[in-house]
Amino acid sequence: MAELSSVDWSRAQFALTSIYHFLFVPLTLGLSFIVAIMESIYIKTGSEEWLRITKFWLKLFGINFAIGVATGIIMEFEFGTNWANYSWFVGDIFGAPLAIEGIVAFFLESTFFAVMFFGWDRVSKKFHLISTWLVAIGSNFSAMWILIANGWMQYPIGMQFNPDTARMEMQSFLEVALSPVGFIKFLHTVTSGYTISALFVIGISAWFILKGKNIIMAKKSMIVATSFGLITSLFFLFSGDESAYQVTQVQPMKLAAMEGLYEGNQRQGLIAFGLLDTNKQPGDKKKPFVFDIEVPYLLSLLGQRDYKAFVAGIDDLIYGNEEHGVESIISKIDKGKIAVNALREYKEAKKNQDIDMMSSAKSTLDENIKYLGYGYLKDPTDAIPPVATTFYSFHIMVALGSFFIFLFLVVTYLCMANDITKFKKLLWICVLSIPLGYIAAEAGWVVAEVGRQPWVVQDLMPTSVGATNLSDVNVKISFFAFAVLFTVLLIAEIKIMLKQIKLGF
C-alpha cells in the first residue's frame, strides 16, 4: 500500500473536519425553525405547556449550536493553512460570500442567540419571539452564503483569470451569488437539515412516549416536527430533482460516477439498486454491475428533461463521443497543457519586457483558460472520481430520503388520528431513525465532494495543485489532534444532550 502524501493527509483532515462539522450544522438549521414554530404557538395560545416544550428543545438547540461553532471556525482556518494555493487562486471570489456570512449572517445569528437563550424574563414576549425567528433566519442565511461559495467551486462562473497575479478575479458578484448550482445546493442542503431536525424531535418524543414520560408534551412536539418534516420533504424532492439536472449539465463525470455509468445511451435508465464490479476499468467493455435493478428512461428524464436524451458515461467523457458532441478528457488535457505553457510564456515575456510575446501568450491563454486545470492531470483516468464511493453514497442517500418521506407520512397520519401511542414498533423505528438522518446527510456530502474529484475548483484547479506544500509530519499531527478534539466534542454533546433529555420537559 502506497504511503499517503501531504496532499492526501490535507484532504483527509479537511474531510474529517467537514464530516464532524456537518454532524452539528443540520440540527442547527432545522431545530431553530422548529423552536420558533413552537414559541409562536406558545405566544398565540399562552399555554404554559408550550412554553415548557419550547424551552426544552431550545436547550438542546443551544448545546448543539455552541459545539458546532467550534468545528466551523477550525474548518475556515484550514483554507489558509492546508490550502494556501487554492486560497490564493480564488480568494477574490471565494472570500466574498464567506465574508458576508461572517459579517452579516453569523453576526445576526449570534446577536439574537443571546436574547433567545437568556432573555426570557428580560424582554417582552414578542421581542423574544422575533429574536428566535431571527436566529433561525440567520442560521439559514449563514448556510446560504457558505453553500454559494461551495457551489462556485462546483461551477465556477462570474470571474476572469489575471495572468499577472495568477488569480481568478470576480467580474460579477450577482452571477456568483445567483448561480443555479449554488442556489439548488443551498436548498437541498438546508432541507436535509430540516429532515434531520424533524427526525431528531420525532425520535426523542417517541422515546418519551415509550417510557411513559411527558406523553402530552411529547405528542405535541411530534406533531410539530412531523408536520415540519413532511412539508419540507416536498422541497427536498424538488431540490433533489433539480440537483440531478444541474449535475448533468455542469459535472457530467460526477453524474456518471453516481450511476456507475460507463457507456452512455439515449433513453438511459436510472439504477435503483446495484452491485458494482470492482474489476471494471474504463474502456474494457466489461459490464459495470454484477447485478442491478434499473428504472427505464428515468436518468435521461431527470438529467436532460427528455426521456429520449443521451446521457454521457465515463467512457464517453474520457475518450469522447463525436456523435453526441462530447469532447474527450484527452482533448481537454492537450488544451490544458497549452494554457499552462501559455501562462509560463506570459510570465517569462513579462520578465523580459517582451510586449509582443506577452500579447501572443495571453491570447493563447484566454482561448484555453477553461481547460487550465486539465493541464496538470497526468492521465485521462485521473479525471474519474472514486466510482464505488460516489455510487454507493448516492444510493444510500436516495434510499434513506425516500424512507424518511414515508415515515413522515405515517407518523403525521397517526398523530392526527391520535393513535401514535399504540404503535410501539413504529415508535422504536422513530427512535432508531435519528442516526439514519445523519448517515443520509453525510452520504450526500460524500457525493458532492468526492464526486467532483480530482477538482478543488471544477476544471480549473486539481486538488493536488490547491494544497499547501506542508511536511507530512505536520499534517499528520494536526489530523490526529483534530480527530481527538472533535471526538471529545461529539461525546460531550451526546452526554450533555442525554442528560438534558432524561430530565424531561
Side-chain angles (χ1 to χ4, degrees), residues 103-122:
I103 295 171
V104 180
F106 186 73
F107 179 78
L108 173 70
E109 181 183 6
S110 57
T111 299
F112 286 97
F113 177 86
V115 178
M116 179 181 72
F117 214 74
F118 304 109
W120 285 104
D121 301 318
R122 294 175 174 84

Side-chain angles (χ1 to χ4, degrees), residues 162-194:
N162 184 341
D164 294 310
T165 60
R167 300 180 75 219
M168 285 291 176
E169 297 178 350
M170 187 180 293
Q171 295 296 301
S172 172
F173 176 76
L174 282 179
E175 196 172 353
V176 174
L178 300 178
S179 165
V181 173
F183 172 76
I184 206 64
K185 177 170 281 293
F186 163 69
L187 187 59
H188 196 57
T189 302
V190 297
T191 48
S192 73
Y194 301 159

Side-chain angles (χ1 to χ4, degrees), residues 6-186:
S6 63
V7 174
D8 294 323
W9 279 106
S10 292
R11 289 178 62 191
Q13 185 186 82
F14 198 82
L16 175 79
T17 310
S18 300
I19 287 170
Y20 270 94
H21 183 56
F22 207 68
L23 290 173
F24 307 111
V25 170
L27 194 58
T28 296
L29 296 176
L31 194 54
S32 58
F33 274 121
I34 291 175
V35 169
I37 292 168
M38 289 173 172
E39 186 174 350
S40 298
I41 297 172
Y42 158 64
I43 297 297
K44 181 71 175 177
T45 63
S47 168
E48 289 300 311
E49 273 191 350
W50 278 108
L51 177 60
R52 287 171 62 190
I53 290 169
T54 302
K55 286 187 173 181
F56 172 78
W57 295 110
L58 178 59
K59 288 175 184 176
L60 299 185
F61 169 80
I63 295 165
N64 181 77
F65 180 88
I67 298 179
V69 168
T71 55
I73 291 172
I74 290 172
M75 188 163 63
E76 293 203 12
F77 275 118
E78 286 180 14
F79 284 118
T81 56
N82 293 47
W83 303 96
N85 294 334
Y86 162 80
S87 297
W88 171 262
F89 184 62
V90 301
D92 183 62
I93 304 164
F94 191 78
L98 290 186
I100 295 173
E101 184 271 334
I103 295 171
V104 180
F106 186 73
F107 179 78
L108 173 70
E109 181 183 6
S110 57
T111 299
F112 286 97
F113 177 86
V115 178
M116 179 181 72
F117 214 74
F118 304 109
W120 285 104
D121 301 318
R122 294 175 174 84
V123 298
S124 68
K125 290 181 179 179
K126 288 186 178 180
F127 186 77
H128 190 279
L129 178 62
I130 290 170
S131 299
T132 303
W133 277 102
L134 286 175
V135 168
I137 292 168
S139 299
N140 285 261
F141 193 47
S142 179
M144 183 185 77
W145 289 109
I146 292 170
L147 291 164
I148 283 172
N150 183 271
W152 184 86
M153 294 165 67
Q154 314 273 348
Y155 178 47
I157 54 174
M159 78 293 179
Q160 183 175 337
F161 182 70
N162 184 341
D164 294 310
T165 60
R167 300 180 75 219
M168 285 291 176
E169 297 178 350
M170 187 180 293
Q171 295 296 301
S172 172
F173 176 76
L174 282 179
E175 196 172 353
V176 174
L178 300 178
S179 165
V181 173
F183 172 76
I184 206 64
K185 177 170 281 293
F186 163 69

Side-chain angles (χ1 to χ4, degrees), residues 262 275-281 286-290 388 392:
Y262 281 81
L275 180 63
L276 289 167
D277 181 354
T278 56
N279 295 317
K280 170 67 179 173
Q281 297 295 324
K286 288 183 180 179
K287 290 184 178 181
F289 294 96
V290 177
Y392 289 121

Side-chain angles (χ1 to χ4, degrees), residues 296-336:
Y297 308 121
L298 191 55
L299 189 59
S300 289
L301 184 62
L302 292 175
Q304 301 288 6
R305 301 292 189 253
D306 179 1
Y307 77 94
K308 297 179 181 178
F310 175 81
V311 178
I314 292 171
D315 289 349
D316 302 290
L317 296 165
I318 293 293
Y319 304 111
N321 187 318
E322 291 186 9
E323 180 183 352
H324 295 284
V326 180
E327 183 177 9
S328 70
I329 298 295
I330 298 170
S331 170
K332 292 179 179 181
I333 288 176
D334 290 339
K335 293 177 180 178

Side-chain angles (χ1 to χ4, degrees), residues 157-436:
I157 54 174
M159 78 293 179
Q160 183 175 337
F161 182 70
N162 184 341
D164 294 310
T165 60
R167 300 180 75 219
M168 285 291 176
E169 297 178 350
M170 187 180 293
Q171 295 296 301
S172 172
F173 176 76
L174 282 179
E175 196 172 353
V176 174
L178 300 178
S179 165
V181 173
F183 172 76
I184 206 64
K185 177 170 281 293
F186 163 69
L187 187 59
H188 196 57
T189 302
V190 297
T191 48
S192 73
Y194 301 159
T195 299
I196 287 173
S197 302
L199 291 169
F200 179 81
V201 175
I202 291 168
I204 293 173
S205 300
W207 181 84
F208 279 116
I209 294 172
L210 286 166
K211 295 296 180 182
K213 296 173 59 178
N214 306 120
I215 292 176
I216 300 299
M217 286 182 280
K219 285 180 66 177
K220 288 183 176 182
S221 298
M222 187 176 281
I223 290 170
V224 171
T226 192
S227 301
F228 179 76
L230 182 59
I231 292 169
T232 55
S233 65
L234 299 177
F235 290 97
F236 192 69
L237 280 175
F238 162 75
S239 62
D241 169 69
E242 186 63 22
S243 181
Y245 174 74
Q246 293 294 343
V247 169
T248 307
Q249 305 309 307
V250 303
Q251 293 177 302
M253 186 65 82
K254 178 191 286 187
L255 182 84
M258 287 161 56
E259 281 296 298
L261 180 64
Y262 281 81
E263 293 185 20
N265 290 291
Q266 291 177 305
R267 299 178 174 85
Q268 180 62 49
L270 180 78
I271 302 298
F273 179 78
L275 180 63
L276 289 167
D277 181 354
T278 56
N279 295 317
K280 170 67 179 173
Q281 297 295 324
D284 65 5
K285 301 303 179 182
K286 288 183 180 179
K287 290 184 178 181
F289 294 96
V290 177
F291 71 91
D292 63 273
I293 300 172
E294 182 178 304
V295 182
Y297 308 121
L298 191 55
L299 189 59
S300 289
L301 184 62
L302 292 175
Q304 301 288 6
R305 301 292 189 253
D306 179 1
Y307 77 94
K308 297 179 181 178
F310 175 81
V311 178
I314 292 171
D315 289 349
D316 302 290
L317 296 165
I318 293 293
Y319 304 111
N321 187 318
E322 291 186 9
E323 180 183 352
H324 295 284
V326 180
E327 183 177 9
S328 70
I329 298 295
I330 298 170
S331 170
K332 292 179 179 181
I333 288 176
D334 290 339
K335 293 177 180 178
K337 291 186 183 300
I338 292 172
V340 172
N341 288 332
L343 177 59
R344 189 179 298 115
E345 289 174 0
Y346 178 88
K347 290 182 176 180
E348 186 66 25
K350 183 180 180 181
K351 182 180 178 181
N352 297 327
Q353 298 183 341
D354 188 335
I355 305 300
D356 291 337
M357 179 60 73
M358 284 176 62
S359 176
S360 175
K362 188 176 186 303
S363 177
T364 303
L365 178 61
D366 290 343
E367 290 174 7
N368 297 279
I369 189 63
K370 67 179 182 178
Y371 304 104
L372 178 66
Y374 289 94
Y376 297 98
L377 301 185
K378 296 178 181 178
D379 188 271
T381 58
D382 291 343
I384 305 173
V387 176
T389 303
T390 308
F391 174 84
Y392 289 121
S393 297
F394 174 68
H395 285 79
I396 288 170
M397 176 189 69
V398 172
L400 288 175
S402 302
F403 164 71
F404 299 149
I405 294 171
F406 176 74
L407 182 65
F408 290 144
L409 280 168
V410 172
V411 173
T412 301
Y413 172 77
L414 292 176
C415 281
M416 297 304 180
N418 210 30
D419 277 349
I420 191 71
T421 56
K422 299 177 183 178
F423 294 85
K424 305 298 183 184
K425 290 183 179 178
L426 177 62
L427 291 171
W428 277 115
I429 290 173
C430 291
V431 174
L432 296 174
S433 292
I434 295 175
L436 295 182

